Amino acid sequence: MLIQFSLLFFVIFALSRVILQLRQGNLTIGGFIFWIAVFFAAFIGILLPELTGKVANFLGIGRGADVIIYISIALLFYLVFRLTIALEDIRHEISELVRELALRDKRGRRE
Amino acid sequence: MVIVPAYNERKMIGKVLQDISQEIKGVGKVKIVVVDDGSNDGTGKIAKKYGVAVPRHIINRGLGASLATGFSYAHASGADIVVTFDADGQHRAKDIPRLIKPIIDRKADVVIGSRLRDNKTIMPFTRKVINWLSNMATFILFGIWTTDSQSGLRALSRWAIKLIKIRTQRMEVSSEIFKEIKRNKLRVVEIPIPAIYTAYSLNKGQRLSNASHVFWKLLLRLIS
């Protein structure tokens, strides 16, 4: 019971952060929908744990908790992949900036 | 135009620039540009003394980024042929005329100086392994075979420079250039060059431990 309340409280807190970030402009509409969906799914899962059990049975997996873990891991891998690509993009952008600075200097002095 | 990407090559940059200057003397309009990749040992200052252009990256970005800067500079300067030349003394300027000939003759868009076509020189075993692994990776990932995917001595036509888009940052650029060659259907030719190894250059070059990191970066480039 207690853990359910704690988790629900945390999820509601997380949802509020997501809304805040959207308003601050740090999240795209797509990102907003994604994270709302994730936390909302968590909310439902915590509120009605029997539901996860039903999903588990449908998928042929033992327990509801196992389903949650499998889905979470797959999701996390995907997110890490996306982050990796984003990092590469940032590296590339930094280099473009450094390049622009290097060449701007030169353009003024070339014959 | 000869592009010399340099990062902390204080000891060798002078000799390298002298070597190149000697070779291109009297050839006419050939310029040298040293891309100073955030060196903090005065490499840029030394290079400027030789009267060459020295665009400087304020922070170190890697070989890939340096070459991309060099290409940008060359293209903006209207260079017809671009040569990439290492700053650590591994290349000989006297190989340049042979290197650019296929481009002048309009037989190729890119010329690679390959150290493995020349049977006369000896390459340290670990280097051979790294090179072979790189050649394999280049072939598997990008579908183009070369006998020396890691060679830094290249000649490219203006057309090639325009089409080749470098996105990798560091040493994986050598393989990425092959990817771009294939993607743009450029004609590539290899000429043999001797492999020059000194304790100095071996220390600075690629390591076997780097291999997985480079492979991963190239894989990312392939799918991004």
Side-chain angles (χ1 to χ4, degrees), chain B residues 140-179:
Chain B
I140 293 173
L141 289 174
F142 309 128
I144 174 169
W145 176 253
T146 166
T147 58
D148 194 350
S149 60
Q150 299 309 299
S151 174
L153 189 63
R154 317 171 186 91
L156 303 101
S157 66
R158 183 176 175 74
W159 179 240
I161 299 278
K162 192 160 186 224
L163 293 176
I164 289 177
K165 300 263 168 294
I166 296 180
R167 266 195 71 108
T168 60
Q169 308 297 312
R170 316 199 81 95
M171 281 184 176
E172 55 269 10
V173 66
S174 299
S175 293
E176 193 197 8
I177 287 182
F178 283 100
K179 168 187 184 293

Side-chain angles (χ1 to χ4, degrees), chain B residues 58-131:
Chain B
I58 53 180
I59 47 178
N60 175 251
R61 301 308 299 163
L63 180 62
S66 303
L67 280 183
T69 299
F71 285 3
S72 263
Y73 185 88
H75 190 260
S77 305
D80 298 301
I81 303 178
V82 169
V83 169
T84 64
F85 198 97
D86 283 356
D88 60 2
Q90 281 202 301
H91 295 150
R92 308 181 313 180
K94 66 179 184 176
D95 290 322
I96 294 181
R98 254 191 324 131
L99 194 72
I100 61 177
K101 189 166 190 311
I103 298 187
I104 294 176
D105 292 344
R106 295 183 188 270
K107 294 221 174 80
D109 301 299
V110 181
V111 181
I112 307 285
S114 169
R115 292 161 295 181
L116 287 155
R117 280 195 114 104
D118 189 334
N119 297 316
K120 292 182 235 139
T121 55
I122 307 158
M123 209 186 235
F125 184 67
T126 38
R127 286 304 152 140
K128 266 213 187 111
V129 170
I130 293 177
N131 223 296

Side-chain angles (χ1 to χ4, degrees), chain A residues 81 84-85 88-92 94-95 98-99 101-103 106 109-111, chain B residues 31 54-59 61 65 68-69 72-73 77 167 169 217 220 223:
Chain A
F81 170 68
T84 305
I85 303 266
E88 275 303 305
D89 279 344
I90 291 178
R91 276 203 185 98
H92 176 66
I94 292 179
S95 285
V98 173
R99 175 164 313 125
L101 280 172
L103 295 178
K106 284 289 121 199
R109 292 182 211 161
R110 249 188 293 131
E111 319 97 64
Chain B
K31 292 216 179 83
V54 186
R56 178 179 160 78
H57 284 170
I58 53 180
I59 47 178
R61 301 308 299 163
T69 299
S72 263
Y73 185 88
S77 305
R167 266 195 71 108
Q169 308 297 312
K217 279 279 150 80
L220 262 185
I223 57 186

